[in-house]
Amino acid sequence: MEFQNKIAGGARGIGKTIADEFKKNGATVCMIDILPNDYFQGDIADESVLISFVDKVTTEHGRVDYLINNALPPSKGIVDCSFDEFNYALRVGITAPFYLTKLLAPHFAPGAAVVNISSTRSSMSQPQTESYTAAKGGISALTHALAVSLAGKVRVNSVSPGWIDTAFHEYQGADALQHPIHRVGNPLDIANMVLFLCSDKAGFITGEDICIDGGMTRQMIYSGDHGWTFDGNAGGPKHVEHGAKA
């Protein structure tokens, strides 16, 4: 896939790998992150920061070909998440992607694409993750709404990663084997899909959420089958290697 002279935005964690892959394929990457970086630093929960970022990008380049929304909302649960913390997670995870898309709408080039990074947490949960889960559920729904509103102008899709180790650590034993693919994911698994969704090869795909989780969300779990046991104290299923005690 060639992205020569294309303008893309995205940042942090999985986003760093996405940005690196775009650069390798010839794109110019305009990054916004709350952490120091080589383009634009700021908190995307702040409307004025989003406006300043878009002004900088459009002044310097005149257009945007791809927008990648990948900011990480904080994850806190019903026990300890305050009103303000919950709303902050939604501003980072839903409001900012919406408003960036809105601000950039007049500047998207023909054939432009938006890719939102959601999560398998949009449809499954662990205890005490309400702020993150709500934000990821929201970005999945926002994806198909934007795809319809921007029909004929911009394709909008989302990617839902499962367990992705951003340090590219290779896991063995139960951590790997509990995935039908028999390994934990890495950022390239996500970046490759993002680049595909932005390319002309995905020109007939919009409004979709692509799950990339090694098959975990398709696996039925029954206590006692295939090494799975249920630990009620832990709040859910637990995988143990054959021959080991739960």
Side-chain angles (χ1 to χ4, degrees):
M1 290 176 283
E2 290 293 331
F3 295 97
Q4 197 72 35
N5 299 320
K6 300 294 186 180
I7 313 298
R12 193 175 181 175
I14 290 172
K16 182 181 184 304
T17 300
I18 295 172
D20 289 346
E21 290 303 301
F22 268 115
K23 290 176 182 177
K24 288 178 185 177
N25 284 274
T28 297
V29 174
C30 302
M31 180 181 298
I32 180 171
D33 198 327
I34 198 169
L35 299 176
N37 63 86
D38 61 4
Y39 191 78
F40 194 101
Q41 183 178 3
D43 186 349
I44 65 170
D46 185 331
E47 178 186 3
S48 64
V49 168
L50 299 178
I51 293 171
S52 296
F53 172 68
V54 169
D55 283 347
K56 178 177 173 64
V57 173
T58 55
T59 297
E60 292 180 356
H61 301 287
R63 75 179 200 281
V64 167
D65 296 276
Y66 314 117
L67 170 63
I68 316 302
N69 290 305
N70 181 58
L72 180 66
S75 182
K76 300 194 76 172
I78 194 168
V79 170
D80 61 355
C81 187
S82 71
F83 182 88
D84 287 340
E85 288 171 328
F86 191 84
N87 280 318
Y88 180 81
L90 299 186
R91 292 204 309 274
V92 170
I94 306 172
T95 306
F98 165 76
Y99 204 58
L100 276 174
T101 307
K102 177 181 174 67
L103 291 172
L104 288 169
H107 306 283
F108 281 123
V114 174
V115 180
N116 298 316
I117 306 301
S118 183
S119 170
T120 54
R121 300 301 181 97
S122 67
S123 58
M124 56 193 299
S125 297
Q126 289 178 298
Q128 304 305 318
T129 60
E130 279 78 8
S131 66
Y132 183 88
T133 298
K136 291 305 183 180
I139 195 68
S140 292
L142 179 65
T143 294
H144 60 73
L146 288 173
V148 173
S149 294
L150 298 175
K153 299 177 182 177
V154 182
R155 291 184 301 103
V156 186
N157 293 288
S158 61
V159 174
S160 286
W163 182 358
I164 303 296
D165 189 284
T166 56
F168 289 87
H169 178 76
E170 293 187 10
Y171 291 78
Q172 304 297 323
D175 286 335
L177 295 175
Q178 67 182 333
H179 295 78
I181 293 294
H182 286 179
R183 70 172 176 85
V184 171
N186 66 64
L188 276 173
D189 294 315
I190 308 306
N192 289 336
M193 177 56 71
V194 170
L195 265 68
F196 170 73
L197 288 173
C198 288
S199 75
D200 291 340
K201 295 179 181 179
F204 200 55
I205 303 174
T206 194
E208 289 299 316
D209 178 71
I210 312 297
C211 180
I212 302 179
D213 71 342
M216 280 289 289
T217 53
R218 297 304 187 191
Q219 180 168 253
M220 297 293 293
I221 299 175
Y222 294 97
S223 185
D225 284 355
H226 307 295
W228 288 97
T229 59
F230 183 81
D231 181 354
N233 293 324
K238 177 182 179 182
H239 190 270
V240 295
E241 294 183 68
H242 291 289
K245 293 183 179 179

